[in-house]
Amino acid sequence: MTEATPLSRIERIRLVGLAALIFVILASYAIARPATESLFLGAHGAQSLPWAWLMVGAGSLVVVTIYNRWSATTDLVRIFGVVSGLSAALLVGILLGLQAGLPGMTWALYLWKDLYIVVLIEIFWSFANSTVPEDRAKWWYGLFCVLGSLGGMAGNLGVGWLAQATSTEQSLWAVVPLLAVGGAGGIGLARWAGVEAAGPKKKPSLSDGFVVLKNSRALWLLMALIATTQVAITLVDYQFSIAIEQHFPDADVRTAMIGQVYAAIDLASISLQLATGPILRLIGVPLVLLAIPGLLGAAVAGYALIPRYAAIAAAKVASKAFDYSLFRAAKEILYIPLSHTERTQGKAFVDMMSYRMAKGATSLMLLGLVALQRPDLTLWLTLACIGLWGWITLKLNNSR
């Protein structure tokens, strides 16, 4: 199949359906993330973030176990629909708990925010990787990223208005209908253009995910790459959280400012995503993967030279924009030649565990620096991680 080949009816349904799903889900996250982060910083401060990330890492272990058992026997987009509905129901419960003043609700909200989105995103990309040919993926994936960023921009700009018109806590209710729409869309797409999942004799367990990883060198390298990438990005996030907490003490104003930063991330992401197809075709996946840590390292070095709020905000924008555009598309293409088991159980284990367990590892590093009374080393640790990121990328490119 070439890019000139007309799309079949099922391909058109999948293209439109996947584009709509990524728009709606990332719009929901764009509202949930700034509001949740603002509420958490107001209640517990940036110094509590390492403990929250450790909690998220433990929650990821549970979630990936459940997902691996489920994904082997159920159509992926049907799972997407069900998870969207369950996420909406959990959010309603947490928000009612916040209104009632129940203890621990801001912690529960932070955990929910990090887990629901990583599950939905991994389901989305697993389904795309299982149904989109590699020659089309170089163009379609850029389109998916653009639609996701447009959804994110709509949510990020809207959350500031909602927070200041009502309150940060009340703005989170807008996430519920978006998740409901995503859930209905996932169920509909599964009916019209889903794929039958393989039906193994026994449901896979977490140990099966380890077995898939053990037998695949490509997955090991991808896991190392993703983990290192996320440690570096999380370290940038931590430094940004400290800066914005200090500069914007009012919760609703802080929510609006966080939303504006994420809107800038979406704008930068869209610019890169629109060029993803041509860049991947002209430069190739290996060089794109290698260029990203180099460019991000330059942005972080800029903050080292000019330690101001604007500089760390710019570094955060750069880290997220690359992660959401060129890195995401190039990394996902690496999964396409792998087996179905590697693309589902293996990918879920690698991506969901790497993305969220990386936050746990970062937490331990930060807590260690605090214990040593050397939090000033965080910036240099970030640069070291970016250097390691580049080295792993070289190893991965050489193995292809």
Side-chain angles (χ1 to χ4, degrees):
M1 182 182 293
T2 65
E3 291 170 351
T5 304
L7 297 177
S8 67
R9 176 178 175 274
I10 287 182
E11 283 183 317
R12 288 196 299 272
I13 293 173
R14 285 176 181 157
L15 175 60
V16 174
L18 287 171
L21 286 180
I22 198 67
F23 179 93
V24 170
I25 292 305
L26 287 183
S28 78
Y29 187 56
I31 296 173
R33 177 174 49 188
T36 298
E37 291 179 358
S38 182
L39 287 172
F40 187 88
L41 289 174
H44 308 290
Q47 70 275 6
S48 296
L49 283 173
W51 296 107
W53 294 337
L54 285 173
M55 179 180 65
V56 168
S60 298
L61 187 64
V62 176
V63 167
V64 76
T65 302
I66 297 171
Y67 173 78
N68 269 346
R69 292 175 63 85
W70 199 5
S71 65
T73 57
T74 308
D75 187 339
L76 287 170
V77 284
R78 190 174 300 279
I79 298 175
F80 186 100
V82 174
V83 170
S84 295
L86 289 174
S87 298
L90 285 172
L91 177 58
V92 169
I94 293 171
L95 291 177
L96 291 176
L98 280 172
Q99 290 181 358
L102 297 180
M105 287 297 100
T106 50
W107 291 92
L109 184 62
Y110 197 97
L111 178 63
W112 170 86
K113 181 263 296 183
D114 265 25
L115 294 184
Y116 102 87
I117 191 61
V118 75
V119 175
L120 291 180
I121 290 297
E122 291 313 317
I123 295 171
F124 174 89
W125 286 111
S126 290
F127 180 76
N129 292 340
S130 297
T131 57
V132 179
E134 184 171 356
D135 58 347
R136 294 198 191 279
K138 292 178 180 178
W139 299 97
W140 286 24
Y141 284 11
L143 173 65
F144 294 155
C145 290
V146 168
L147 267 294
S149 289
L150 288 173
M153 183 174 293
N156 283 319
L157 293 175
V159 70
W161 176 83
L162 285 171
Q164 294 182 317
T166 57
S167 70
T168 294
E169 184 178 320
Q170 291 299 314
S171 68
L172 284 163
W173 284 102
V175 177
V176 176
L178 290 173
L179 287 175
V181 169
I187 296 296
L189 186 58
R191 177 177 300 176
W192 296 321
V195 292
E196 291 295 327
K201 294 181 180 179
K202 70 181 187 67
K203 291 186 177 181
S205 63
L206 183 63
S207 61
D208 295 317
F210 278 111
V211 171
V212 175
L213 178 64
K214 177 183 177 182
N215 296 327
S216 176
R217 184 170 185 269
L219 288 179
W220 274 111
L221 287 171
L222 280 165
M223 182 176 229
L225 175 67
I226 295 167
T228 306
T229 300
Q230 295 309 304
V231 167
I233 292 173
T234 303
L235 287 170
V236 173
D237 284 348
Y238 179 73
Q239 294 166 88
F240 172 78
S241 295
I242 292 175
I244 201 162
E245 180 187 9
Q246 293 173 345
H247 283 80
F248 304 99
D250 180 78
D252 296 336
V253 174
R254 185 168 59 242
T255 299
M257 293 304 301
I258 294 174
Q260 289 177 22
V261 169
Y262 281 115
I265 290 170
D266 290 329
L267 182 60
S269 298
I270 289 173
S271 300
L272 291 170
Q273 289 156 0
L274 288 172
T276 293
I279 289 174
L280 290 177
R281 296 286 284 179
L282 293 173
I283 300 178
V285 171
L287 285 179
V288 167
L289 287 172
L290 190 59
I292 292 170
L295 293 171
L296 179 58
V300 175
Y303 176 58
L305 295 173
I306 309 173
R308 298 289 187 272
Y309 169 76
I312 190 58
K316 181 179 176 71
V317 169
S319 69
K320 296 292 187 181
F322 285 128
D323 190 30
Y324 296 160
S325 57
L326 289 171
F327 181 77
R328 166 63 79 173
K331 185 260 294 183
E332 293 298 332
I333 288 173
L334 298 181
Y335 283 106
I336 292 177
L338 304 183
S339 68
H340 176 76
T341 302
E342 288 173 313
R343 290 196 309 265
T344 54
Q345 294 180 44
K347 183 180 188 302
F349 186 89
V350 167
D351 282 6
M352 284 197 278
M353 293 297 289
S354 296
Y355 273 100
R356 285 330 187 230
M357 291 301 287
K359 285 197 170 184
T362 308
S363 301
L364 295 176
M365 294 179 191
L366 292 171
L367 292 171
L369 291 178
V370 171
L372 294 172
Q373 297 183 342
R374 293 301 308 271
D376 56 297
L377 295 178
T378 303
L379 179 58
W380 305 110
L381 180 61
T382 306
L383 290 170
C385 285
I386 293 173
L388 180 60
W389 174 359
W391 180 79
I392 294 172
T393 302
L394 284 174
K395 299 289 288 185
L396 182 62
N397 286 342
N398 291 335
S399 71
R400 295 190 74 208

